[in-house]
């Protein structure tokens, strides 16, 4: 896809989120690009909102960051669900997730 000269707001927001997640993990552009099978320059353009990207590219970047693809499109600063998803991603270990799922499912079943 072509590179833009001016970032689009949506692409810039996703790119900024990717950069935050990358820096949070202490990963270099080169490392994430290599794992995601992208060029370092393309990943940089994505982070700056200058490249239009596909869902496949999002999935490959998520693999490079060792996160779920949904984490790239979750913006904790924007809404409560995003904050909750970020807490789950950063504070709850993978072994604890089944218990949390059961608790949330039970809570939802009680509302029916």
């Amino acid at each position: 896809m072509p590179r833009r000269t001016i970032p689009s707001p949506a692409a810039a927001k996703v790119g900024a989120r990717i950069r935050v997640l990358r820096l949070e993990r202490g990963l270099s552009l080169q490392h994430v690009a290599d794992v995601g099978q992208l060029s370092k320059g393309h990943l940089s353009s994505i982070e700056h909102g200058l490249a239009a990207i596909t869902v496949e590219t999002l999935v490959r970047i998520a693999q490079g960051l060792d996160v779920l693809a949904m984490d790239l499109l979750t913006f904790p600063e924007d809404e409560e669900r995003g904050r909750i998803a970020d807490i789950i991603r950063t504070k709850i270990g993978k072994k604890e997730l089944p218990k949390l799922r059961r608790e949330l499912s039970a809570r939802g079943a009680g509302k029916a």
Side-chain angles (χ1 to χ4, degrees), residues 64-83:
L65 294 169
D66 192 28
V67 299
L68 299 173
M70 71 173 226
D71 293 323
L72 304 181
L73 301 172
T74 302
F75 307 104
E77 66 279 3
D78 286 353
E79 50 106 18
E80 197 62 33
R81 283 190 222 183
R83 285 187 281 282

Side-chain angles (χ1 to χ4, degrees), residues 25 27 31-36 59-67:
R25 286 162 175 63
L27 300 173
H31 172 81
V32 176
D34 287 347
V35 174
V59 169
R60 292 190 344 225
I61 292 169
Q63 290 170 341
L65 294 169
D66 192 28
V67 299

Side-chain angles (χ1 to χ4, degrees), residues 85-103:
D86 216 43
I87 290 168
I88 291 169
R89 183 183 59 77
T90 59
K91 308 282 189 215
I92 304 213
K94 288 182 180 179
K95 291 181 179 180
E96 298 173 76
L97 290 176
K99 179 182 176 188
L100 178 61
R101 179 184 41 79
R102 286 190 302 274
E103 289 173 8

Side-chain angles (χ1 to χ4, degrees), residues 37-49:
Q37 300 173 345
L38 304 164
S39 74
K40 181 179 168 183
H42 185 53
L43 182 56
S44 177
S45 292
I46 291 168
E47 285 191 0
H48 287 93

